[in-house]
Amino acid sequence: MENLITVAQKTRQAALKLAVLSTEAKNQAIEAIAQALESAKDEILQANIADCETSLVEGIAEPLYKRLKLDEHKLRDAIAGVRDVGKLADPVGTIQIHREIDTGLILKRLTCPLGVLGIIFEARPEAAIQIVSLAIKSGNGVILKGGKEAIRSCEAIVKAIKQGLSQTVVNPDAVQLLTTREEILELLKLDKYVDLIIPRGSNSFVRFVQDNTRIPVLGHADGVCHLYIDKAADLEKAVAITVDAKTNYPAACNAIETLLVHANLASKFLPQICEALQKLKVELRGDERTRQILPDILEASEQDWETEYTALILSIKIVDSLEEAIAHINEYGSKHTDGIVSEDEEAAQTFLALVNAAGVYHNCSTRFADGFRYGFGAEVGISTQQMPPRGPVGLEGLVTYKYQMVGDGHIAATYTGANAKSFTHRDLL
């Protein structure tokens, strides 16, 4: 295996050439990746079966196993996502500011690639496919580090991607795969060559990455999502949305972990939702007031309010007002995705405005918090940070901008002193 610094240097060199390619050239590369993945389908699925068998022997946790398993449908959807990225507008070269500073002195602000992305992810091998397609489209090189549980799957996927790129003008060195745990710490030290780290995995893993690098990190350490059932909720909608948000894919970071229920309808709603969830083997934990209505469920502790279960467990709390629900979410939530079920438009608008999260939803499941579902083609991850990019991060989160100024012998001294000339500051866009 090459020295990691050499690998990073090669990636940066390839990324510099990728950054200036035309939209057409990048789209051809993306289609070549899709075709190569289709051709290597059997090899990729066999590699994943081997990964799954090894992980079962080693006692992998069930949520992680679900993320690891890559069947024909998941692979097909991932390849469709690659082609969707090809159809998206090119995020590079957009002129955001075009301004005359003075006659013959023109300022532009244009979007440009970040450079080299370092993506560290656990399980979910199809993440490699999403990430590479977004990286190529946005003109970035990418160094991937998958979890050891997905090593064969990732190797098969990256082998196919590089094979596809070799038929195009994009240098296959723009995509690299690391395979050992030791390389993670080395990668985190490469601030000279890597411009952004995106970790995808458990809370402790993301925090470890954040604590061990000087490279900017885009990620979320928790997915503590809430659903609030308002006093003006339609109970049929409330049951359907709650069941979906908890059970559709409980291992996902956009599944709800806490259900808040207004006191006015708790006695009517809680028995209904308890029956629906327990049929699906969801373990319920409630505060004291909830357990007066549902005496057979477990008691919720203070720790439950801030826990991401990624499993069929749901904590329930009764609140007396919209304001109390919002306060609870802002206290215990992770700024990922939180929703309200209500037919009261004013209450919904208040919730949407005051809950501090990357995604705030009204009368729909939190499970829609996803780059593919947002129409981004795919996502490199979900960010819960306050600064943008926030929420599912697609192409727009993988570009930055630069200022270009063109003059004709202009000097700053002309615009200072007793006879200073004035700027025109005229927008040309």
Side-chain angles (χ1 to χ4, degrees):
M1 175 71 187
E2 286 179 294
N3 172 299
L4 190 51
I5 291 176
T6 305
V7 170
Q9 288 171 333
K10 281 186 173 181
T11 312
R12 182 163 284 284
Q13 287 302 313
L16 287 170
K17 293 176 181 174
L18 173 58
V20 295
L21 288 182
S22 67
T23 303
E24 184 183 5
K26 289 188 289 187
N27 286 345
Q28 285 171 351
I30 287 167
E31 176 56 30
I33 288 171
Q35 290 181 16
L37 289 167
E38 285 172 339
S39 298
K41 181 184 75 170
D42 292 342
E43 189 181 336
I44 292 167
L45 293 177
Q46 285 302 314
N48 185 252
I49 288 168
D51 281 334
C52 288
E53 288 173 350
T54 301
S55 296
L56 285 172
V57 170
E58 294 176 355
I60 189 172
E62 188 181 355
L64 206 59
Y65 181 77
K66 285 182 179 175
R67 293 178 183 182
L68 171 63
K69 192 167 173 55
L70 181 65
D71 58 22
E72 199 165 334
H73 302 298
K74 263 193 191 177
L75 182 57
R76 181 197 62 208
D77 289 348
I79 294 169
V82 173
R83 290 195 165 104
D84 285 340
V85 170
K87 295 170 191 169
L88 296 173
D90 193 333
V92 177
T94 300
I95 300 172
Q96 298 179 325
I97 294 174
H98 190 192
R99 182 171 296 157
E100 178 192 84
I101 302 301
D102 192 11
T103 305
L105 185 62
I106 306 298
L107 174 72
K108 286 183 182 178
R109 189 171 84 187
L110 295 97
T111 56
C112 59
L114 288 169
V116 174
L117 314 174
I119 317 286
I120 312 169
F121 56 99
E122 294 178 333
R124 201 175 286 144
E126 73 270 23
I129 297 172
Q130 297 178 348
I131 289 158
V132 169
S133 57
L134 289 168
I136 299 295
K137 183 78 176 203
S138 56
N140 291 292
V142 61
I143 300 173
L144 300 163
K145 171 63 184 78
K148 66 179 177 63
E149 67 282 344
I151 188 166
R152 299 177 189 87
S153 308
C154 290
E155 285 177 334
I157 286 167
V158 172
K159 178 185 172 186
I161 287 170
K162 283 178 167 282
Q163 175 63 34
L165 290 178
S166 69
Q167 312 300 313
T168 75
V169 294
V170 176
N171 186 335
D173 283 345
V175 180
Q176 305 284 357
L177 176 68
L178 309 183
T179 55
T180 69
R181 190 173 182 81
E182 293 71 39
E183 288 169 316
I184 295 178
L185 278 173
E186 285 186 67
L187 176 64
L188 297 181
K189 293 173 186 169
L190 295 179
D191 50 301
K192 186 176 178 182
Y193 303 106
V194 179
D195 299 282
L196 181 68
I197 295 284
I198 304 177
R200 294 175 61 155
S202 66
N203 306 345
S204 57
F205 171 68
V206 175
R207 291 224 164 94
F208 171 82
V209 170
Q210 291 168 334
D211 293 342
N212 285 278
T213 188
R214 290 188 298 183
I215 304 168
V217 177
L218 187 153
H220 71 280
D222 297 280
V224 183
C225 301
H226 298 77
L227 187 64
Y228 166 55
I229 311 302
D230 184 49
K231 64 181 178 182
D234 176 308
L235 293 191
E236 193 176 329
K237 284 182 194 173
V239 170
I241 292 169
T242 303
V243 168
D244 183 84
K246 180 68 250 183
T247 69
N248 175 259
Y249 188 28
C253 58
N254 56 17
I256 60 167
E257 310 296 7
T258 298
L259 182 67
L260 303 173
V261 181
H262 195 286
N264 284 18
L265 45 67
S267 60
K268 191 173 182 183
F269 174 69
L270 286 175
Q272 290 183 32
I273 196 60
C274 177
E275 182 185 0
L277 290 172
Q278 288 185 338
K279 277 182 183 173
L280 296 167
K281 298 189 167 40
V282 178
E283 177 189 308
L284 301 178
R285 303 176 184 180
D287 68 345
E288 188 179 340
R289 293 168 76 186
T290 300
R291 292 179 74 236
Q292 287 172 4
I293 299 169
L294 304 174
D296 295 332
I297 72 170
L298 297 172
E299 182 180 351
S301 67
E302 179 70 15
Q303 190 178 354
D304 281 306
W305 308 130
E306 53 194 27
T307 298
E308 181 183 19
Y309 302 115
T310 62
L312 289 172
I313 304 170
L314 181 68
S315 55
I316 305 174
K317 182 179 182 179
I318 292 175
V319 294
D320 290 313
S321 65
L322 169 67
E323 292 71 26
E324 188 184 343
I326 293 170
H328 179 97
I329 293 168
N330 287 341
E331 171 72 21
Y332 295 102
S334 60
K335 301 182 181 180
H336 191 299
T337 308
D338 301 291
I340 179 174
V341 180
S342 181
E343 299 306 302
D344 181 340
E345 188 63 32
E346 188 177 340
Q349 290 305 316
T350 299
F351 182 95
L352 298 180
L354 296 182
V355 167
N356 183 11
V360 280
Y361 290 8
H362 176 207
N363 284 351
C364 56
S365 171
T366 55
R367 287 280 294 123
F368 287 107
D370 174 83
F372 180 74
R373 288 168 178 159
Y374 279 12
F376 297 168
E379 67 185 38
V380 289
I382 291 182
S383 170
T384 55
Q385 62 188 18
Q386 202 73 3
M387 293 291 288
R390 217 176 173 201
V393 179
L395 292 172
E396 83 295 332
L398 300 180
V399 293
T400 183
Y401 53 76
K402 63 173 70 171
Y403 291 94
Q404 296 179 351
M405 190 176 284
V406 178
D408 186 20
H410 292 72
I411 58 171
T414 307
Y415 304 92
T416 58
N419 298 311
K421 193 177 180 192
S422 296
F423 294 111
T424 58
H425 286 161
R426 183 169 66 94
D427 284 331
L428 304 175
L429 270 180

